[in-house]
Amino acid sequence: MSVVTKAAAPIVDTAADGEERRSLERLVKMFARFVGTGYVAYFLILLPEIRRTAFLTPTWWNWFCVIAVFGTGLLFGLSSFSGSIRAIRMAGSIAAVTYLLCVLGWWLAWDQTLFDVQGVYLSTFPGLASLAAASVWPPVLVFVHMTVGVIAAQSINYVLREPFVTTPLFADIVFGMMFCTIFVAATLAALRTARILDATITRTQAQAARSAAAAARAVERERFDALTHDGVMSSLLSVARQGRSPSVVNQARLTLRQLDSLRTHSAPTFVDADEAIAQLRATANDVDESVIVHIESISQTSTSNVEPQTYPADAVRAIGAALAEAMRNSLRHAGPSNRSVTVRTQPGILQATVTDDGVGFDRASVPPHRLGVAVSIEGRLRQLPGGASRIDSIPGQGTTVHLTWCASDVPRTAAFG
């Protein structure tokens, strides 16, 4: 018998670039709003100085310079409220370039005859323009921008003040560079951290996708191995022991359906009563080939419109795993004894009971570190919606383990009663 299984499809990361760089984009937007607010604050603070020094250059230049510099800075801040990171980067570049153009163009507008001891207002915030550049440009271009801007602004101050105050140009440039570097470097460091964080998140997601794909392949292999062992081999063993009985036929039919599900790479969400019985029988026979499995099936009221009773596949698997643990515990601890398994099905209830007449035990005497009962049986059924378990054991009189799943509309007393 050959079974063709489909390999797990590779998981492809379809996230857009914006989704992969969320931390960086959030930080760029934050800096854009900070810089835009800074431009507005400087405009309000420097407005008297702008009016006072308007005589140094032609009127048209004053209007152009104020609108260009502060307008593009405000535009950079407003662009942060848009959903496009490309628009934010473009606005930041425009603000950074416009400042340099206005500082360098000042020399063309100045008639070289008027002087002012206070210098030009553009020299007050070269670092703010460099922060706009730092938000959207690579570090090398940012430091080039800052250097050119500081030198140009301090040079304007130097020539305007020279007739009145002689100050060392080099010292002013160094001071301006050091002052601006503090904020620019902090901005670049924050953005670099955001890039590293986004890259780490992307790598982690990719690794998680690869791990999930590997886990899916492992689950597929385990499913195939389990079906081969618990389905095919158990069916052959049942045929050899019991012949062509109705229960063996049902078990073989179930195994064939499971093989078909492997071929289509699908797993059922619900199983009918025959499949549930066959799975639990196979589980019991896997642990103990000699165990006797009794079947008690209570059918629904016979009507033409009644759907066949089904059970969640998760419930069947959970009861099967707990059943196997109960069987193993009985084999290890009950001593020489007779044991049997009873599988009971009825509408809305699935129950498996493991019984032995061995030595039994006192629940209070079980050490806390013994996790077979607490975790593999009681804990597993407790985590199953609708699941429940009960263990009855008396020293010297054997043990009975009840494993039950009940639908939400069925009272628990109907199962244990």
Side-chain angles (χ1 to χ4, degrees), residues 9 54 67 98-99 130 132 138 156 186 198 216 226 235 250 278 312-313 331 390 403 415:
I67 294 174
T98 299
Y99 176 84
S130 296
I156 293 174
D198 286 333
S235 297
N250 289 333
L331 288 171
R390 191 180 76 199
L403 309 169

Side-chain angles (χ1 to χ4, degrees), residues 337-353:
S337 62
N338 298 314
R339 62 184 54 84
S340 64
V341 174
T342 301
V343 177
R344 176 189 175 200
T345 63
Q346 68 181 83
I349 297 176
L350 176 64
Q351 186 177 53
T353 304

Side-chain angles (χ1 to χ4, degrees), residues 74-89:
L74 177 60
L75 176 65
F76 182 40
L78 294 176
S79 68
S80 66
F81 295 97
S82 70
S84 173
I85 190 64
R86 181 174 299 178
I88 299 174
R89 294 183 184 279

Side-chain angles (χ1 to χ4, degrees), residues 312 314-315 318 380-388 404-408 412:
D314 290 339
R380 178 177 278 117
L381 269 296
R382 190 165 48 247
Q383 294 175 2
L384 173 68
T404 304
W405 173 84
C406 293
S408 59
R412 297 289 179 90

Side-chain angles (χ1 to χ4, degrees), residues 130-148:
S130 296
L131 284 181
S135 301
V136 296
W137 287 0
V140 174
L141 294 180
V142 173
F143 281 102
V144 170
H145 178 279
M146 184 180 67
T147 302
V148 173

Side-chain angles (χ1 to χ4, degrees), residues 44 87 154 186 210 215 221 230 260 273 281 297 330 344 355 389:
L44 297 176
Q154 294 301 328
R210 289 192 292 269
R221 286 194 297 269
D230 299 340
D260 290 337
R281 183 199 301 275
S297 182
S330 178
R344 176 189 175 200
T355 303
S389 64

